[in-house]
Amino acid sequence: MNIILLGPPGAGKGTQAKRLIDAYGIPQISTGDMLRAALKEGTPLGLEAKKYMDQGALVPDEVVVGLVKERIQQDDCKKGYMLDGFPRNVSQAETLDRMLSELGQTIDHVVCIQVPDEELVKRLTGRRTCRDCGAGFHVMFDPPKKDGVCDKCGGELYQRDDDNEATVKSRLQVYGEQTKPLIDYYEKQGKLRQIDGVGSIDEIFARIKAVLG
Ligand SMILES: [Zn+2]
């Protein structure tokens, strides 16, 4: 079973991804991780990607899809795989589809975890991080025993710039604008599986399993 996992920041995608790969025995393929590994190992595609990254340019779709192609032909992908963080837009999705059809493969399900924006803002702006040890807390879901103080080391908790309301809203807007055409693309292919992402981790995972079978 070949899956793409989509979801906005704060939707709990990472948590559900872990549950998915454990339950279905398929690897999670993160193009970000793969790019970093290819750079480190100096593979031909890694060197190609480096040329663009050194100039601060985006790595072309063909290079990223080339990495995915190498990866999904490895033994642990025989039962399938889950793509995470890719594709990000329709052009990448089309390049991916072309590559998969060359291999006689296809994407079976595009799981899209949906959470209303106001709920995402609540989740993301409530995060607090310890200045000293980096531990993470949440003012509503995982509050420290004492306001503003790290339970683990007594350090000061702060809100990262990424997590302030204006930044969060603009991240969500960018996500929505980039992802909407991608969602339409997979909906037309009949592969889109919309999942209500509000609820407990178990509840959400049960919804995912129900659509994947
Ligand atoms: Zn701490």
Side-chain angles (χ1 to χ4, degrees), residues 9-49:
K13 197 158 66 84
T15 310
Q16 296 300 332
K18 263 198 214 100
R19 301 285 293 264
L20 260 170
I21 59 177
D22 288 345
Y24 290 91
I26 55 176
Q28 176 175 9
I29 297 179
S30 151
T31 51
D33 290 348
M34 275 172 20
L35 263 178
R36 280 185 287 276
L39 286 174
K40 211 171 127 200
E41 289 159 22
T43 66
L45 281 168
L47 293 173
E48 179 74 14

Short mmCIF file of all heavy atoms in Angstrom, two decimals, residues 9-49:
data_model
loop_
_atom_site.label_atom_id
_atom_site.label_comp_id
_atom_site.label_asym_id
_atom_site.label_seq_id
_atom_site.Cartn_x
_atom_site.Cartn_y
_atom_site.Cartn_z
N PRO A 9 0.57 22.21 9.43
CA PRO A 9 1.34 22.22 10.68
C PRO A 9 0.38 22.20 11.86
O PRO A 9 -0.63 22.90 11.84
CB PRO A 9 2.12 23.54 10.63
CG PRO A 9 1.66 24.29 9.42
CD PRO A 9 0.83 23.38 8.59
N GLY A 10 0.66 21.36 12.85
CA GLY A 10 -0.18 21.30 14.04
C GLY A 10 -1.29 20.26 13.95
O GLY A 10 -2.03 20.08 14.91
N ALA A 11 -1.38 19.56 12.82
CA ALA A 11 -2.47 18.59 12.65
C ALA A 11 -2.16 17.24 13.29
O ALA A 11 -3.00 16.36 13.31
CB ALA A 11 -2.79 18.41 11.17
N GLY A 12 -0.94 17.07 13.79
CA GLY A 12 -0.58 15.79 14.41
C GLY A 12 -0.13 14.75 13.40
O GLY A 12 -0.20 13.55 13.63
N LYS A 13 0.39 15.24 12.28
CA LYS A 13 0.81 14.36 11.20
C LYS A 13 1.94 13.42 11.64
O LYS A 13 1.91 12.23 11.33
CB LYS A 13 1.28 15.24 10.03
CG LYS A 13 1.37 14.55 8.72
CD LYS A 13 1.31 15.56 7.58
CE LYS A 13 2.51 16.47 7.56
NZ LYS A 13 3.66 15.88 6.85
N GLY A 14 2.90 13.95 12.36
CA GLY A 14 4.05 13.14 12.79
C GLY A 14 3.62 11.98 13.67
O GLY A 14 4.09 10.85 13.51
N THR A 15 2.69 12.25 14.59
CA THR A 15 2.20 11.22 15.50
C THR A 15 1.45 10.14 14.73
O THR A 15 1.67 8.94 14.95
CB THR A 15 1.22 11.85 16.52
OG1 THR A 15 1.86 12.99 17.09
CG2 THR A 15 0.85 10.88 17.60
N GLN A 16 0.59 10.55 13.82
CA GLN A 16 -0.18 9.57 13.04
C GLN A 16 0.72 8.79 12.09
O GLN A 16 0.49 7.61 11.84
CB GLN A 16 -1.32 10.27 12.28
CG GLN A 16 -2.37 10.91 13.18
CD GLN A 16 -3.07 9.92 14.10
OE1 GLN A 16 -3.19 8.74 13.79
NE2 GLN A 16 -3.50 10.40 15.25
N ALA A 17 1.75 9.46 11.58
CA ALA A 17 2.69 8.78 10.68
C ALA A 17 3.34 7.61 11.40
O ALA A 17 3.45 6.51 10.86
CB ALA A 17 3.76 9.77 10.19
N LYS A 18 3.76 7.83 12.64
CA LYS A 18 4.39 6.76 13.43
C LYS A 18 3.44 5.59 13.61
O LYS A 18 3.82 4.43 13.47
CB LYS A 18 4.81 7.29 14.80
CG LYS A 18 6.26 7.69 14.84
CD LYS A 18 6.76 7.81 16.27
CE LYS A 18 7.79 8.91 16.37
NZ LYS A 18 7.27 10.17 16.90
N ARG A 19 2.19 5.90 13.95
CA ARG A 19 1.20 4.84 14.16
C ARG A 19 0.99 4.05 12.86
O ARG A 19 0.90 2.82 12.88
CB ARG A 19 -0.15 5.45 14.60
CG ARG A 19 -0.08 6.25 15.88
CD ARG A 19 0.03 5.38 17.10
NE ARG A 19 -1.15 4.60 17.36
CZ ARG A 19 -2.12 4.95 18.20
NH1 ARG A 19 -2.03 6.08 18.87
NH2 ARG A 19 -3.16 4.16 18.38
N LEU A 20 0.92 4.79 11.77
CA LEU A 20 0.69 4.16 10.47
C LEU A 20 1.79 3.19 10.08
O LEU A 20 1.52 2.06 9.66
CB LEU A 20 0.63 5.25 9.40
CG LEU A 20 -0.72 5.71 8.91
CD1 LEU A 20 -0.57 6.96 8.06
CD2 LEU A 20 -1.35 4.60 8.09
N ILE A 21 3.04 3.64 10.20
CA ILE A 21 4.13 2.77 9.75
C ILE A 21 4.25 1.54 10.65
O ILE A 21 4.57 0.46 10.17
CB ILE A 21 5.48 3.53 9.63
CG1 ILE A 21 5.89 4.14 10.96
CG2 ILE A 21 5.43 4.59 8.57
CD1 ILE A 21 7.24 4.82 10.91
N ASP A 22 3.91 1.69 11.93
CA ASP A 22 3.93 0.53 12.83
C ASP A 22 2.81 -0.44 12.47
O ASP A 22 3.01 -1.65 12.41
CB ASP A 22 3.77 0.97 14.29
CG ASP A 22 5.02 1.66 14.80
OD1 ASP A 22 6.08 1.54 14.15
OD2 ASP A 22 4.95 2.34 15.85
N ALA A 23 1.62 0.10 12.25
CA ALA A 23 0.45 -0.76 12.02
C ALA A 23 0.54 -1.48 10.67
O ALA A 23 0.10 -2.62 10.55
CB ALA A 23 -0.83 0.06 12.09
N TYR A 24 1.10 -0.82 9.67
CA TYR A 24 1.08 -1.41 8.33
C TYR A 24 2.44 -1.97 7.90
O TYR A 24 2.56 -2.54 6.82
CB TYR A 24 0.56 -0.39 7.31
CG TYR A 24 -0.91 -0.11 7.49
CD1 TYR A 24 -1.34 0.93 8.30
CD2 TYR A 24 -1.87 -0.90 6.86
CE1 TYR A 24 -2.70 1.18 8.49
CE2 TYR A 24 -3.23 -0.66 7.04
CZ TYR A 24 -3.64 0.39 7.85
OH TYR A 24 -4.97 0.62 8.03
N GLY A 25 3.45 -1.79 8.75
CA GLY A 25 4.77 -2.35 8.43
C GLY A 25 5.39 -1.77 7.17
O GLY A 25 6.04 -2.48 6.40
N ILE A 26 5.14 -0.48 6.94
CA ILE A 26 5.74 0.17 5.77
C ILE A 26 6.63 1.32 6.26
O ILE A 26 6.39 1.89 7.31
CB ILE A 26 4.65 0.72 4.80
CG1 ILE A 26 3.69 1.67 5.54
CG2 ILE A 26 3.88 -0.42 4.15
CD1 ILE A 26 2.66 2.32 4.64
N PRO A 27 7.69 1.65 5.50
CA PRO A 27 8.57 2.72 5.94
C PRO A 27 8.00 4.11 5.62
O PRO A 27 7.23 4.27 4.67
CB PRO A 27 9.85 2.48 5.15
CG PRO A 27 9.41 1.79 3.92
CD PRO A 27 8.18 1.00 4.27
N GLN A 28 8.42 5.06 6.43
CA GLN A 28 8.07 6.46 6.18
C GLN A 28 9.20 7.06 5.37
O GLN A 28 10.36 6.97 5.74
CB GLN A 28 7.94 7.18 7.53
CG GLN A 28 7.68 8.66 7.43
CD GLN A 28 7.46 9.27 8.81
OE1 GLN A 28 7.66 8.61 9.83
NE2 GLN A 28 7.06 10.51 8.85
N ILE A 29 8.86 7.67 4.26
CA ILE A 29 9.88 8.25 3.40
C ILE A 29 9.76 9.76 3.44
O ILE A 29 8.79 10.34 2.94
CB ILE A 29 9.74 7.71 1.96
CG1 ILE A 29 9.99 6.20 1.98
CG2 ILE A 29 10.72 8.42 1.03
CD1 ILE A 29 9.85 5.54 0.65
N SER A 30 10.72 10.38 4.08
CA SER A 30 10.72 11.83 4.19
C SER A 30 11.77 12.38 3.23
O SER A 30 12.95 12.05 3.33
CB SER A 30 11.05 12.23 5.63
OG SER A 30 11.69 13.48 5.64
N THR A 31 11.32 13.20 2.27
CA THR A 31 12.27 13.69 1.28
C THR A 31 13.31 14.60 1.93
O THR A 31 14.45 14.64 1.48
CB THR A 31 11.55 14.43 0.14
OG1 THR A 31 10.69 15.40 0.69
CG2 THR A 31 10.77 13.47 -0.72
N GLY A 32 12.93 15.31 2.98
CA GLY A 32 13.89 16.16 3.68
C GLY A 32 15.05 15.33 4.25
O GLY A 32 16.22 15.65 4.05
N ASP A 33 14.68 14.24 4.94
CA ASP A 33 15.70 13.34 5.50
C ASP A 33 16.56 12.75 4.39
O ASP A 33 17.78 12.62 4.53
CB ASP A 33 15.05 12.18 6.27
CG ASP A 33 14.38 12.65 7.55
OD1 ASP A 33 14.62 13.81 7.96
OD2 ASP A 33 13.62 11.86 8.14
N MET A 34 15.91 12.37 3.30
CA MET A 34 16.65 11.73 2.21
C MET A 34 17.64 12.69 1.55
O MET A 34 18.74 12.30 1.21
CB MET A 34 15.67 11.22 1.14
CG MET A 34 15.17 9.83 1.51
SD MET A 34 13.87 9.23 0.46
CE MET A 34 14.01 10.19 -0.95
N LEU A 35 17.20 13.93 1.39
CA LEU A 35 18.10 14.94 0.81
C LEU A 35 19.32 15.14 1.70
O LEU A 35 20.46 15.17 1.21
CB LEU A 35 17.38 16.28 0.68
CG LEU A 35 16.78 16.62 -0.67
CD1 LEU A 35 16.06 17.97 -0.59
CD2 LEU A 35 17.85 16.66 -1.76
N ARG A 36 19.08 15.26 3.01
CA ARG A 36 20.21 15.44 3.93
C ARG A 36 21.15 14.24 3.86
O ARG A 36 22.38 14.41 3.84
CB ARG A 36 19.69 15.65 5.36
CG ARG A 36 19.23 17.09 5.62
CD ARG A 36 18.84 17.31 7.07
NE ARG A 36 17.58 16.67 7.41
CZ ARG A 36 16.39 17.23 7.18
NH1 ARG A 36 16.30 18.42 6.65
NH2 ARG A 36 15.28 16.60 7.51
N ALA A 37 20.59 13.03 3.79
CA ALA A 37 21.43 11.83 3.74
C ALA A 37 22.23 11.78 2.43
O ALA A 37 23.42 11.46 2.43
CB ALA A 37 20.57 10.57 3.89
N ALA A 38 21.57 12.12 1.32
CA ALA A 38 22.24 12.08 0.01
C ALA A 38 23.38 13.10 -0.05
O ALA A 38 24.43 12.84 -0.63
CB ALA A 38 21.23 12.34 -1.11
N LEU A 39 23.17 14.25 0.58
CA LEU A 39 24.22 15.27 0.63
C LEU A 39 25.41 14.76 1.41
O LEU A 39 26.56 14.90 1.00
CB LEU A 39 23.69 16.55 1.30
CG LEU A 39 22.73 17.40 0.48
CD1 LEU A 39 22.18 18.53 1.34
CD2 LEU A 39 23.44 17.98 -0.73
N LYS A 40 25.09 14.16 2.57
CA LYS A 40 26.14 13.69 3.46
C LYS A 40 26.95 12.58 2.80
O LYS A 40 28.18 12.53 2.89
CB LYS A 40 25.49 13.17 4.75
CG LYS A 40 26.37 13.36 5.98
CD LYS A 40 25.60 13.04 7.25
CE LYS A 40 26.38 12.04 8.08
NZ LYS A 40 25.54 11.34 9.06
N GLU A 41 26.25 11.67 2.10
CA GLU A 41 26.93 10.54 1.47
C GLU A 41 27.56 10.92 0.14
O GLU A 41 28.33 10.15 -0.43
CB GLU A 41 25.94 9.38 1.25
CG GLU A 41 25.54 8.70 2.55
CD GLU A 41 24.23 7.93 2.40
OE1 GLU A 41 23.87 7.57 1.26
OE2 GLU A 41 23.57 7.72 3.44
N GLY A 42 27.21 12.11 -0.39
CA GLY A 42 27.77 12.55 -1.66
C GLY A 42 27.36 11.68 -2.84
O GLY A 42 28.15 11.46 -3.76
N THR A 43 26.15 11.15 -2.82
CA THR A 43 25.66 10.37 -3.97
C THR A 43 25.50 11.30 -5.17
O THR A 43 25.47 12.52 -5.00
CB THR A 43 24.28 9.74 -3.66
OG1 THR A 43 23.33 10.81 -3.52
CG2 THR A 43 24.30 8.92 -2.37
N PRO A 44 25.40 10.71 -6.39
CA PRO A 44 25.25 11.59 -7.57
C PRO A 44 24.07 12.55 -7.45
O PRO A 44 24.21 13.74 -7.76
CB PRO A 44 25.03 10.59 -8.72
CG PRO A 44 25.70 9.33 -8.25
CD PRO A 44 25.54 9.30 -6.76
N LEU A 45 22.92 12.06 -6.97
CA LEU A 45 21.77 12.95 -6.81
C LEU A 45 22.00 13.96 -5.69
O LEU A 45 21.56 15.10 -5.76
CB LEU A 45 20.49 12.15 -6.54
CG LEU A 45 19.83 11.50 -7.76
CD1 LEU A 45 18.75 10.51 -7.33
CD2 LEU A 45 19.24 12.55 -8.69
N GLY A 46 22.72 13.51 -4.67
CA GLY A 46 23.05 14.42 -3.57
C GLY A 46 23.91 15.57 -4.06
O GLY A 46 23.68 16.73 -3.72
N LEU A 47 24.91 15.25 -4.90
CA LEU A 47 25.79 16.29 -5.45
C LEU A 47 25.01 17.24 -6.36
O LEU A 47 25.24 18.46 -6.36
CB LEU A 47 26.95 15.66 -6.22
CG LEU A 47 27.94 14.86 -5.36
CD1 LEU A 47 28.95 14.12 -6.23
CD2 LEU A 47 28.66 15.77 -4.36
N GLU A 48 24.07 16.66 -7.13
CA GLU A 48 23.23 17.47 -8.00
C GLU A 48 22.38 18.44 -7.15
O GLU A 48 22.31 19.64 -7.46
CB GLU A 48 22.34 16.50 -8.81
CG GLU A 48 21.37 17.15 -9.76
CD GLU A 48 22.05 17.71 -11.01
OE1 GLU A 48 23.21 17.36 -11.25
OE2 GLU A 48 21.40 18.51 -11.71
N ALA A 49 21.79 17.91 -6.09
CA ALA A 49 20.97 18.76 -5.21
C ALA A 49 21.81 19.86 -4.58
O ALA A 49 21.36 21.00 -4.43
CB ALA A 49 20.31 17.89 -4.12
#
